[in-house]
Amino acid sequence: VIDVLVVTIVRAMAVATPLLWASIGETYAERSGVVNLGVEGMMVIGAFVAFVVAHATGQPYLGLAAAGIGGGVAAWVHGFVSVTLRANQYVAGLALAMVGLGVTGVLGRGWEGIPLDATLPEISLITYLGVAVAVASWFVLHHTGPGIVIRSVGESPAAAAALGINVTRVRYLCVVVGGVLAGVGGGFLSVAYRPSWTEGMSGGLGWIALAITIFAAWDPVRVVGGAVFFGALFHLSFRLQGAVAPELLRMMPFASTIVVLALTARQRRGQGGPEALGMPYTPGER
Amino acid sequence: VGPVQFEAAPTAPWTRVLGVSALAFATALAVAGALLLLLGVNPLRAYAVMFGGVLGDARASAEILRQAIPLLLVGVGLVVAFRAQFWNIGAEGQLLAGAVGATAVALFLAVPDRAIIPAMFAAGAVCGAAWGFVPAVLRFTLDVNEVITTLMLNYVAIFGVEWLVHGPWKGQTAFGFAYTDTFRDAAILAVIPGTRIHWVTLLLGVACALGLGWGLARTRLGFEVRVLGQSPTAARYAGMQPFRTTVLVMLASGALAGLAGVGEVAGIHRKLLAPEQVSLGYGYAAIIVAWLARGNPVAAIGTALLLGFIYTAGDAMKVALQVPARVTDVFNGLILLFLIGTERLLAYRVRWAPKPNAARVANRPEAGP
């Protein structure tokens, strides 16, 4: 029984790791008032970059670092379009998701089916580091000066600007940090979870990461819980194979997301998202 | 800035909208060309295939129209949803739901031949509307973000269709393949000979675009949708019911996507098959159709044709240059990105003002606090 439990926890944590990294990243972006729906795109870019670099250098950690850079660059594009150009954040993020999936699909065709020697175990430093980053992020956001700056920019950018805070810079920083974390999460998929590259291998995890961010009420520590919960769901759908049609099992985590968000909606009341979430800020506007 | 002055322009003339959109489109093509260069494909050859090979070829031109059919139906629905500020990202799932509804009627209901096509369209519209209804209700009763729910419902629909074609609905004649039996002849839409244009669906799309264009501009409900989109608070103060309006909008948006799904299974495939074959990402591409149309359902006719062109060009490039099919996604994503990136250009106008004056300083849009 204990063996089963250990296996379950290990497998659940393996799926939870990329979700965890990506959701913490999104928490930073959203706390600063920027929705980035491009998580799926940033993750798949991370997965591709990590695979290519790990394959070329034989260093999985180098691959993950490169994945972080790849995700950060993609997020910077989102920052430029949605913060500097003040475009609609939802549409900008969707465009980023399309571009990420498209570009990696086009460039990655030659890399499909190549085995990777330089891999990480499913539970590695990255998983523990993810939990540590979550706790650290909670501390930063809730108990430090920079955290208050980030949250105030997300709640009321005009008031923050009146206090001399550079709203644009804070938002860029949070969006890019979010992209770096999502990139590492995606990289984990291709060097540890399934050491290989397949087109679109993020497989919807990016969208679930977005849901976890909301589900966790923008709190990094609760994100850990959300990621483990969804990791367990994915594992459960794996364990039930044979009993239920595989297509229905693959549907389950996505359907559960809706159910979970609906069931927890009432508890979340009163601790809704950052006040200025999704709203572009025009300097000088009140 | 020198002798010119920037000032806020509340509405841009349509020539500028067209010009800026064309600029965004051209930039997206240029960036996509750079990517093709990375792949070792000469971008000039790609453009030649794209424009010469597609626009200069009658069969390829007809294919543009056939790709535009689902894009138009879905796009018109999304225009209305976006006007009401409801972020329906779930058209892909709503389209698949419509395809499932039509298939159920075609395969399992004893409907007389004469009534079967209308019955399939009706079933598709109802299923699509149901798929759009859930997020609208969840948003208003429980305040659940519709972006997430509509997206998740896409996956539910995708795996649902996969389950149907692998499992309970798998055809007697399909052997190893994952699709249903072929529809009987009466349940198949007529096409213009020599093409794949199922004209009934096309007419339906054009009629919906015109009808909703009129409805949005001229009816009470259309007015409520527009007010709701611009200011939900104002809508409430004016005694309108945001919940009722949003539900109606989402029923319409979902139903239109459902109709597109009916057209695909009844006009093109003649059976239900794998979800990625039923919809080539039309539900996502239609977001671009709607965004390009800038809130005008009638304009979606033109923008659907443009996206139909991108799809056809992607196919042509896949065949002629052996580039991966994902190249269509690259084009789509980049067009959307540049489209919203250049939107800021519409908000200001440049005026020739050689003499500096006080108004110039006051009107400077980027002036800090």
Side-chain angles (χ1 to χ4, degrees):
Chain A
V1 179
I2 289 177
D3 280 358
V4 172
L5 202 66
V6 169
V7 168
T8 305
I9 292 170
V10 167
R11 296 290 311 179
M13 284 309 292
V15 194
T17 305
L19 289 172
L20 176 60
W21 281 80
S23 301
I24 301 169
E26 184 67 12
T27 303
Y28 273 104
E30 295 200 5
R31 276 289 187 185
S32 79
V34 182
V35 179
N36 188 351
L37 295 185
V39 182
E40 181 82 1
M42 300 187 299
M43 281 182 90
V44 80
I45 288 172
F48 178 61
V49 171
F51 180 82
V52 171
V53 171
H55 188 267
T57 62
Q59 298 288 336
Y61 285 109
L62 212 57
L64 287 174
I69 295 172
V73 170
W76 180 86
V77 173
H78 181 72
F80 181 71
V81 174
S82 63
V83 177
T84 302
L85 297 174
R86 305 200 292 280
N88 185 299
Q89 295 175 5
Y90 288 126
V91 185
L94 286 171
L96 181 62
M98 283 185 207
V99 172
L101 289 166
V103 169
T104 55
V106 170
L107 292 181
R109 190 174 56 168
W111 296 90
E112 297 220 11
I114 296 177
L116 186 66
D117 299 325
T119 62
L120 290 177
E122 280 186 338
I123 299 287
S124 64
L125 187 61
I126 297 301
T127 307
Y128 305 122
L129 201 59
V131 177
V133 168
V135 175
S137 299
W138 170 80
F139 185 78
V140 167
L141 281 173
H142 293 274
H143 295 283
T144 67
I148 292 171
V149 168
I150 292 172
R151 285 190 294 137
S152 57
V153 165
E155 296 292 339
S156 172
L163 289 172
I165 294 168
N166 186 334
V167 173
T168 306
R169 190 183 298 163
V170 171
R171 287 194 165 179
Y172 258 98
L173 197 67
C174 288
V175 169
V176 170
V177 165
V180 169
L181 296 178
V184 172
F188 179 86
L189 291 172
S190 66
V191 299
Y193 184 63
R194 263 183 224 132
S196 61
W197 161 252
T198 22
E199 174 199 308
M201 74 181 300
S202 45
L205 287 180
W207 305 118
I208 291 191
L210 280 168
I212 291 175
T213 307
I214 299 176
F215 170 60
W218 297 270
D219 177 340
V221 168
R222 287 206 217 171
V223 163
V224 179
V228 171
F229 175 76
F230 278 97
L233 265 182
F234 271 95
H235 176 65
L236 182 69
S237 71
F238 182 77
R239 286 300 284 268
L240 287 173
Q241 267 174 12
V244 184
E247 296 85 11
L248 295 183
L249 289 175
R250 295 180 64 196
M251 181 200 288
M252 192 180 70
F254 299 99
S256 311
T257 308
I258 302 173
V259 175
V260 166
L261 279 177
L263 288 180
T264 56
R266 205 152 293 160
Q267 293 154 25
R268 271 200 316 278
R269 282 242 164 104
Q271 45 179 357
E275 197 68 30
L277 187 59
M279 280 188 272
Y281 172 66
T282 314
E285 211 168 62
R286 248 136 256 272
Chain B
V1 185
V4 292
Q5 170 188 326
F6 294 96
E7 56 187 25
T11 51
W14 67 270
T15 45
R16 252 173 78 110
V17 173
L18 215 59
V20 168
S21 303
L23 177 75
F25 190 73
T27 320
L29 285 195
V31 174
L35 183 78
L36 289 174
L37 206 59
L38 271 178
L39 273 183
V41 174
N42 181 353
L44 293 179
R45 252 194 83 201
Y47 299 143
V49 169
M50 203 170 174
F51 290 99
V54 172
L55 293 177
D57 181 82
R59 188 180 298 175
S61 300
E63 196 60 13
I64 296 178
L65 211 53
R66 103 114 188 111
Q67 300 271 17
I69 297 172
L71 290 166
L72 171 60
L73 276 164
V74 180
V76 168
L78 292 185
V79 164
V80 178
F82 293 167
R83 276 303 276 270
Q85 288 285 323
F86 194 89
W87 293 100
N88 179 13
I89 318 296
E92 187 82 359
Q94 292 147 19
L95 186 154
L96 290 173
V100 168
T103 306
V105 171
L107 293 179
F108 308 113
L109 278 191
V111 183
D113 280 0
R114 204 162 1 134
I116 190 156
I117 295 281
M120 283 163 71
F121 274 114
V126 169
C127 290
W131 223 249
F133 178 70
V134 176
V137 169
L138 285 178
R139 147 99 174 258
F140 273 91
T141 53
L142 294 169
D143 202 19
V144 180
N145 185 310
E146 76 269 24
V147 174
I148 305 291
T149 46
T150 51
L151 258 165
M152 293 299 149
L153 281 172
N154 286 345
Y155 284 93
V156 173
I158 287 169
F159 291 122
V161 169
E162 273 191 1
W163 173 67
L164 287 173
V165 296
H166 280 105
W169 287 9
K170 187 172 167 161
Q172 309 284 320
T173 56
F175 301 110
F177 297 101
Y179 44 70
T180 63
D181 285 325
T182 307
F183 298 171
R184 60 190 151 111
D185 286 348
I188 291 171
L189 292 170
V191 293
I192 296 175
T195 69
R196 295 204 289 169
I197 303 168
H198 38 109
W199 53 271
V200 178
T201 328
L202 180 62
L203 286 184
L204 206 59
V206 174
C208 289
L210 297 176
L212 282 169
W214 176 81
L216 210 52
R218 293 270 182 270
T219 65
R220 189 195 158 87
L221 185 63
F223 177 68
E224 288 189 14
V225 169
R226 287 183 286 139
V227 173
L228 181 65
Q230 292 196 330
S231 169
T233 330
R236 249 192 315 276
Y237 282 136
M240 298 171 182
Q241 294 158 292
F243 178 49
R244 194 192 66 129
T245 313
T246 306
V247 166
L248 286 175
V249 162
M250 274 311 286
L251 286 176
S253 189
L256 282 163
L259 291 177
V262 181
E264 291 308 292
V265 290
I268 305 288
H269 306 294
R270 301 159 180 218
K271 52 178 163 288
L272 187 68
L273 27 68
E276 69 273 14
Q277 287 172 289
V278 173
S279 173
L280 310 170
Y282 296 129
Y284 299 109
I287 296 170
I288 309 170
V289 171
W291 204 257
L292 258 173
R294 296 181 196 273
N296 182 348
V298 182
I301 299 175
T303 58
L305 283 171
L306 184 70
L307 265 287
F309 165 69
I310 297 291
Y311 267 91
T312 314
D315 275 349
M317 278 196 267
K318 196 173 70 183
V319 176
L321 307 170
Q322 276 88 47
V323 294
R326 282 279 188 180
V327 77
T328 312
D329 280 350
V330 176
F331 276 106
N332 283 345
L334 286 174
I335 290 171
L336 189 57
L337 203 60
F338 283 105
L339 202 62
I340 55 164
T342 51
E343 218 151 67
R344 209 40 43 200
L345 292 175
L346 295 175
Y348 300 106
R349 62 178 166 225
V350 186
R351 214 171 61 175
W352 185 254
K355 279 182 209 153
N357 53 31
R360 172 179 155 190
V361 179
N363 279 341
R364 279 267 289 281
E366 301 294 348

